[in-house]
Every structure is written in C-alpha cells, then in structure tokens.
Amino acid sequence: MTAQIAAVVIFAVMFGLIVLDKFERHIVTLSCGAAMLILVFGIFMKSKEAILETLNLGSLFTLDFWYHAGQASEGSSGINWATIIFIAGMMIMVEGMARVGFFRWLCMAIAKLVRYKPVPILIAFMLVSGILSMFIDSITVILFLAAVTVELSEIVHFNPVPVIMAEIFCANLGGSATMCGDPPNIIIGTSLGYTFMDFLTNTGVAAGISMLFVIAYFYLCFHKELSHSKPSGIGEKMNQRVGTVVTGHVEANANSAAVTITDTKGFYLSAAIFLIAVVMLITHAQTGLTVAFIGTFIALLTLLAAGSHIPEILKKIDYKTLLFFIGLFIVVGGLEQTGILNIIAAFIGRISHGNMMLMVAIIVWISGFASAFVDNIPFAATMIPVIKSLAAAQGASLPMLAWALAIGTDIGGSATPIGASANVVGLAVANKHGHPVTWGKYCKFMVPASIIVLMISTAYIWIRYI
C-alpha cells in the first residue's frame, strides 16, 4: 500500500510540475523517474526485479526486439526502448529531409494548391494528417507535418500552433482507424488476432464519421485567428494573383521547386528513404521487422546519404524529448509495478456487470480518461486481459470490447500534451521553433474535441453492435 501511495504521489507531482511549466519537461520526468526507482522500488518495495523490469535494458539484446515471427506485441513493461529508438530514427530522417529542402519544397506545393490561405491550409493539413496516420505511425506523421507547418508559417506569416494542434488530434483520430495507425492498435490487433481490414471496417468507420465533426470543430475554433493573419511576400503575391515577375531572385521563382531544394541529389535520396520508411511501416506486421529495427535502419540510411553533413544532423536531434520519454516511461512503469493500472482495470470489470451498453461506455470513457494522463500503450496492454475476461464471463462480444478499448485509448490520448506520443513530439517541434504551447491552451481546445469524438464513438458502437 505504501508503495502504491508513493507511486501515485510521484506521478501527481510530475503531472503538476509539467502543467505548471516552470521547469523543463525532461528534467521533471527524469527527476520523478529517479524518485520512482529509488523510493518506490528501492526503499518501499525493495525489489531489484522491479527496477530491472522498468529499465527494460535486457529487451535490447533479444531477437524479438528487432524481429518477431507470427503474432507478437509491440508493448513492453517499463521503458519502451522500441518507441525511443523509433522516434530517434524518425527525427534523424526528418532532419535529413529538412537539410536538403524537402519540407520547404512541400510547403510551396501545398501553399500553391490552397492559394496560400491559412484557413484552407488548416483544413488540408488536418485531412493529410488523418489519412497518413491510417497507414503510417502517428509519430512519424506529426514529425513530418509539424515541421512542414512551421516552415510554411514562416513563409506565409501565420501562427502555426492552431494548425499543429489540429494535426495532432487528426493524427490520433486517423491512427485509430487501422491496426498500424497507433501503437495501442498494434498491441490489440496482434494480441487478439485482428487484421488491418478488421480495424478499418470497424474503428475506421467511427473515425471517418468523427473526422467530419472534428474538421468543423477546429474550423470554428481557429478560422478567425487564422483569417486575421496577413500573408506577405510570396503568399501575398499569390493571393493577389500578380501576373508580373516579383522583384528578387527567390520570389521571382516562387513557383519553382528547385529554388527551395538545397541539395538535388540529397533531395531525391531523402524522398526515397521516406518512401522506404512508409513501406516498411505499412508492412512491418507482415515482414516481422519491429519499429525499433525500422527506426534504426532508416536512421542509418539517412546518415549514409548525408555524408559530411552527419554532425549537422545529429546536432539538431531533439534529445530533450527523448529524455522526456525515458523519464515518463519510468514513472508509468511505477504505476504498473505497484498495480495501479490493474486496479483501474479491475474496477471496470466490477461495475459493468451484464449491461452491455454500460460496459462499452465504461471501457470507452475510462480508457479515454486514463489515456489522457497515462501513456496509452501500457494501459492498452493492461486492459486486453480484462476485456477477454469480461467477454468470457458476461457473454459480451470480444471484438466489440476491443473496438471500444482501441477508440478510448487512441482518442483519450489526444486530450493532454502527455497523453500520446504524437502530442509530445508535435509540441516539441513547435517549442523548438519558438512556438511554445501551454497546458492551458492545449487542453482548452483538445479536451472538447476528445469529448465530441468519444461521444460519437460510444453512440456508434451502441448502434452497430448492441
């Protein structure tokens, strides 16, 4: 009991300090992680095994960490090194693409398509985020789109924060539509034997319906702020449809992709590496290659293509975000080791009884609420045996409970800055480029959006399965 209380207190302190935003996030999580290891595991539990399981270093030296045959879970207890390595690999790839001008080139293409207007950019990027996240891990999508958004905002002169927040939400929503779209779905699918199409025809329908409401919601939230932006330079010339050549070499060639590409050979190599990453992520369930292997492989390809620019790329990696994840995983590992997550899971089983509608609502909303504060990967892994036992004991449909769990964990994670990996990465990109987002501003817009989608999804499951 003492260990459980201490674990909850440490988590609450960490959460409070992050919300207050007085200290750098990685320092907060690493300090609280150290407190969890020393106080909870060392002093109260006196468990060397709990420390080793939470640090999870042994997993790095197993074959399953890099390759698995047949069905296997991507989840792990304690520090999820696969996630850390994957994010680091994608960061290297993104920096390599940025170096050769890939993102600025893409900015120009998108800006031209929507006539350099911020509001259409908001809608277009939401759709792109949702669609890409159906097939590519949401972390990768946000790393890519957040960088593009910042690049574009510097050209067209608008605040990128509203667009990045909308992209984050749509990435998590789109990720809920397929098995490979979000880590909890990978865990649920591989553990219960569901396929890509099983998710697409079930959670995918709920995500598609919700996307229409989400686009309307974020449009109402941000269209005034974005409409008041005053594009200048390239954007202004395009908006005014000036047919004459603009003075200055860059603006005179604004429609030429070549202007934005700093290294032609590197550009094509980066584009090829990105496509390889997409294919590997889409097919990794079939090939058996884990996300850790893919992240490492893509990073090595990027560094090989960079040549003499390797130090430049490595210097730009956001190491603070990686440290933040490590500390966060340790604290969450404390909640796992002390049984807090199991208590939450057991609570759902006790109060649902035989009421199917109540059971679905509890799973969706408890999962959504918990995932807003606790990383949704270990929570999804903890809940899988719970829904199995509920299905066996109460006669409920296991697929129905699985879809409720997937939607709850995926969407609930959008509500707070630490609820899902995509949130942390997207906000880190914004902060890195001088656009910090406070907890208050983030939750003001993302919590209502999460509630809207959870309500729609609950009703959808009720109507379709009960």
Side-chain angles (χ1 to χ4, degrees):
M1 178 64 72
T2 304
Q4 290 179 334
I5 294 174
V8 172
V9 170
I10 290 172
F11 175 79
V13 170
M14 179 193 74
F15 181 77
L17 290 175
I18 292 174
V19 172
L20 291 175
D21 200 24
K22 298 295 184 181
F23 305 96
E24 291 194 78
R25 296 179 309 157
H26 69 287
I27 294 177
V28 171
T29 60
L30 288 174
S31 299
C32 291
M36 190 71 75
L37 292 173
I38 296 171
L39 294 177
V40 177
F41 298 156
I43 297 177
F44 297 130
M45 294 178 64
K46 296 181 174 59
S47 174
K48 180 181 178 181
E49 290 74 18
I51 295 175
L52 293 176
E53 287 180 10
T54 300
L55 293 178
N56 199 28
L57 293 172
S59 65
L60 294 167
F61 305 100
T62 63
L63 178 61
D64 283 346
F65 185 82
W66 305 99
Y67 171 82
H68 60 74
Q71 292 187 353
S73 172
E74 294 283 341
S76 62
S77 177
I79 300 176
N80 192 327
W81 290 109
T83 298
I84 302 297
I85 292 173
F86 175 70
I87 293 175
M90 293 301 102
M91 284 180 174
I92 291 174
M93 183 188 72
V94 168
E95 291 298 340
M97 296 173 75
R99 182 190 69 81
V100 299
F102 182 90
F103 295 126
R104 187 167 292 276
W105 169 81
L106 185 61
C107 286
M108 291 303 219
I110 295 175
K112 182 179 179 182
L113 184 64
V114 298
R115 300 178 184 274
Y116 298 89
K117 296 179 180 179
V119 173
I121 288 172
L122 169 69
I123 297 173
F125 277 25
M126 288 175 66
L127 289 170
V128 169
S129 180
I131 293 171
L132 286 179
S133 293
M134 293 172 61
F135 307 99
I136 308 171
D137 189 276
S138 57
I139 299 171
T140 306
V141 173
I142 291 304
L143 277 171
F144 170 71
L145 279 181
V148 170
T149 301
V150 172
E151 290 276 349
L152 189 53
S153 71
E154 293 173 353
I155 299 172
V156 184
H157 293 228
F158 66 88
N159 180 10
V161 170
V163 182
I164 291 176
M165 287 198 295
E167 290 166 357
I168 289 171
F169 193 91
C170 289
N172 289 326
L173 178 58
S176 71
T178 65
M179 179 179 163
C180 64
D182 218 24
N185 290 15
I186 296 174
I187 297 173
I188 293 169
T190 54
S191 298
L192 302 179
Y194 299 142
T195 66
F196 180 93
M197 290 305 299
D198 290 333
F199 276 89
L200 186 62
T201 55
N202 290 278
T203 59
V205 176
I209 296 170
S210 299
M211 180 64 76
L212 300 176
F213 289 87
V214 167
I215 290 175
Y217 168 79
F218 282 114
Y219 171 80
L220 293 174
C221 289
F222 298 132
H223 79 281
K224 288 185 178 179
E225 178 181 352
L226 294 174
S227 296
H228 291 158
S229 301
K230 296 181 179 180
S232 61
I234 297 172
E236 184 176 9
K237 303 301 179 183
M238 290 301 295
N239 285 331
Q240 294 175 353
R241 299 185 182 181
V242 176
T244 57
V245 176
V246 181
T247 303
H249 175 70
V250 174
E251 291 191 342
N253 294 280
N255 293 323
S256 173
V259 171
T260 63
I261 299 173
T262 59
D263 180 349
T264 303
K265 180 181 178 181
F267 174 85
Y268 288 114
L269 285 175
S270 295
I273 292 171
F274 177 73
L275 291 176
I276 291 172
V278 170
V279 172
M280 292 182 74
L281 286 166
I282 292 175
T283 62
H284 83 99
Q286 289 73 38
T287 62
L289 300 176
T290 66
V291 292
F293 178 91
I294 294 171
T296 302
F297 181 73
I298 293 302
L300 290 174
L301 284 182
T302 301
L303 294 176
L304 286 174
S308 61
H309 296 281
I310 291 177
E312 175 187 344
I313 291 176
L314 294 178
K315 185 178 179 180
K316 291 183 178 180
I317 296 175
D318 191 354
Y319 294 102
K320 291 181 179 180
T321 295
L322 299 178
L323 293 173
F324 169 82
F325 271 113
I326 291 173
L328 182 62
F329 279 131
I330 292 174
V331 174
V332 172
L335 298 181
E336 291 182 86
Q337 292 291 338
T338 56
I340 299 299
L341 295 182
N342 287 326
I343 291 174
I344 297 174
F347 171 76
I348 298 174
R350 286 198 304 270
I351 65 175
S352 61
H353 299 296
N355 188 317
M356 299 301 170
M357 295 183 71
L358 178 59
M359 190 183 302
V360 167
I362 289 172
I363 292 175
V364 170
W365 287 89
I366 293 294
S367 298
F369 180 80
S371 295
F373 303 103
V374 179
D375 188 87
N376 54 12
I377 296 174
F379 185 84
T382 302
M383 284 297 298
I384 288 172
V386 174
I387 63 173
K388 282 184 177 180
S389 63
L390 283 175
Q394 305 295 335
S397 166
L398 180 58
M400 175 186 70
L401 300 182
W403 310 142
L405 175 61
I407 291 172
T409 52
D410 292 337
I411 303 307
S414 299
T416 66
I418 63 170
S421 301
N423 311 8
V424 177
V425 171
L427 296 182
V429 172
N431 185 66
K432 181 180 178 181
H433 290 86
H435 302 282
V437 182
T438 63
W439 266 71
K441 181 171 184 177
Y442 182 93
C443 294
K444 175 182 178 181
F445 297 104
M446 302 295 260
V447 169
S450 300
I451 292 173
I452 290 171
V453 175
L454 290 176
M455 290 175 62
I456 293 172
S457 300
T458 303
Y460 163 77
I461 295 176
W462 282 350
I463 293 170
R464 180 167 178 178
Y465 300 105
I466 300 178

